């Protein structure tokens, strides 16, 4: 099938989020974990190829290098349009990976301009007059201000992006967007003629996203959250670039135990963990104890549980507890000991017969997916907006993975996830 859009995502939960929204179109979506090692025949690609990197908090040079490698694979596979996907809260490394990767992609694709639209109204993310809101709160006043890895203390996207790129950053505000696609195209052209290559675009509703997609679907490079990408397929179909297949892929039925592994400390994940901990056997991990003793105690606890019983193992904690661990261990080590422990726990859970994994946290999802050796995921049903079940084969066994970004989903997400898998 013709590859309509090649996508690069800066973490694994973001990649599944993106794949889920593209899959709503009914067109085939392929999600690949890390840089693919094979060279693809363009006739064997899906309509949408998504490459999941783990570079959101990487040093800028590493993030750019990985994105360039992903771009090379996508070009070989026949991609002529690209999408650079980052979080709907616009967070990355302290120096900012969003702008440098976008600049590299602009140069490699000979694009004259690109847009930045992290808005995801369905999940409460909106951009108004260049400011990012989480629900009714400015980003800088939301729980993201206390994120343990990427605290967001500014809501002005123009101000956030400007130090990350060369040249000025422009804004196409809601007044422009509300007038329709032609108005937005004219504004983008005006900014481009003035030498503005990087443009923040406001969006507060799905109608805004459709307008933005109509104005930008033929750009060589579009950047943003998954919601704007989810609007692009309809324009490809309207242009006659692709049609819906009559054949839908049957989803596998998964047997085997279930486990929730949570490394996220977001406000919503804390509520979700508290909700689920009261329903299943659970174990909390202490980063300081992990640093001193390793995960042996948790692994032994896991082996003693019934393979079929639902389980929860988590390092999710309140912001003050996270700060204490970071002060004791250092920010990087505090995060790494948790990722390493949860990765080893995931491998042990698989060895014990677990075949259904729900994972909370972008960094955690990346570490666990890599530890399990998953390289290619099939997209299944959505549990919550932007969070699908995915399927892969490990050691000849079919495994279901739900990779959840920290703040996505309702309080009952984990229960909802396994219920959704049963009814898929």
């Amino acid at each position: 099938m013709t590859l309509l859009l090649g996508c690069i995502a800066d973490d694994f939960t973001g990649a599944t989020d993106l794949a889920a929204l593209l899959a709503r179109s009914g067109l085939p979506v392929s999600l690949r974990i890390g840089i693919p090692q094979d060279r693809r025949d363009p006739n064997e690609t899906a309509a949408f190829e998504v490459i999941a990197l783990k570079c959101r908090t990487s040093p800028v040079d590493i993030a750019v290098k990985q994105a360039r490698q992903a771009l090379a694979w996508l070009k070989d596979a026949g991609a002529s349009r690209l999408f650079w996907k980052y979080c709907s809260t616009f967070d990355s490394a302290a120096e900012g990976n969003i702008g440098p990767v976008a600049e590299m992609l602009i140069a490699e694709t000979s694009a004259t301009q690109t847009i930045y639209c992290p808005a995801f109204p369905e999940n409460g993310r909106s951009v108004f007059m260049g400011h990012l809101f989480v629900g009714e709160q400015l980003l800088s006043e939301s729980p993201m201000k206390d994120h343990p890895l990427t605290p967001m203390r500014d809501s002005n996207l123009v101000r956030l992006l400007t130090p990350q790129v060369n040249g000025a950053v422009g804004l196409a505000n809601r007044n422009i967007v509300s007038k329709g696609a032609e108005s937005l195209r004219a504004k983008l052209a005006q900014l481009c003629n003035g030498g503005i290559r990087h443009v923040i675009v406001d969006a507060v509703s799905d109608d805004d996203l459709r307008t933005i997609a109509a104005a930008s679907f033929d750009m060589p490079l579009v950047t943003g959250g998954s919601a704007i990408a989810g609007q692009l397929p309809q324009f490809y179909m309207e242009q006659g670039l692709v049609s819906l297949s009559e054949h839908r892929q049957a989803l596998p039925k998964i047997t085997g135990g279930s486990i929730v592994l949570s490394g996220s400390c977001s406000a919503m994940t804390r509520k979700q963990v508290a909700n689920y901990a009261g329903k299943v056997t659970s174990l909390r991990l202490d980063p300081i104890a992990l640093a001193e003793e390793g995960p042996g105690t948790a692994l032994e606890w896991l082996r003693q549980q019934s393979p079929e019983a639902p389980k929860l193992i988590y390092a999710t904690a309140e912001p003050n507890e996270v700060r204490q661990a970071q002060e004791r261990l250092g920010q990087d080590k505090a995060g790494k000991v948790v990722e390493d422990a949860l990765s080893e726990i995931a491998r042990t859970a698989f060895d014990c017969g677990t075949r259904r994994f729900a994972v909370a946290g972008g960094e955690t999802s990346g570490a666990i997916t890599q530890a399990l050796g998953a390289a290619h995921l099939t997209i299944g049903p959505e549990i919550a907006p932007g969070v699908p079940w995915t399927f892969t084969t490990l050691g000849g066994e079919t495994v279901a993975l739900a990779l959840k970004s920290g703040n996505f989903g309702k309080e009952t997400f984990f229960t909802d996830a396994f219920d959704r898998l049963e009814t898929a």
Side-chain angles (χ1 to χ4, degrees), residues 280-345:
V280 301
T281 302
S282 61
L283 177 69
R284 181 179 177 184
L285 303 177
D286 177 8
I288 295 174
L290 290 174
E292 295 174 348
E293 305 167 10
T297 300
L299 296 174
E300 183 59 31
W301 178 90
L302 177 60
R303 294 187 186 101
Q304 292 174 357
Q305 307 306 310
S306 167
E308 296 299 321
K311 294 168 281 292
L312 164 66
I313 299 180
Y314 63 99
T316 303
E318 296 295 322
N320 64 317
E321 297 172 296
V322 174
R323 282 193 292 271
Q324 290 173 7
Q326 290 178 336
E327 289 170 0
R328 177 84 172 267
L329 302 174
Q331 178 175 303
D332 292 342
K333 185 176 181 179
K336 190 174 189 307
V337 296
V338 169
E339 287 183 24
D340 289 348
L342 287 172
S343 295
E344 193 166 349
I345 289 166

Side-chain angles (χ1 to χ4, degrees), residues 209-211 213-215 217 231-241:
L209 293 177
R210 281 187 284 273
T211 295
F217 76 90
Q231 298 290 333
L232 296 174
Q234 71 181 76
F235 295 99
Y236 299 149
M237 288 187 278
E238 288 174 4
Q239 294 295 312
L241 300 176

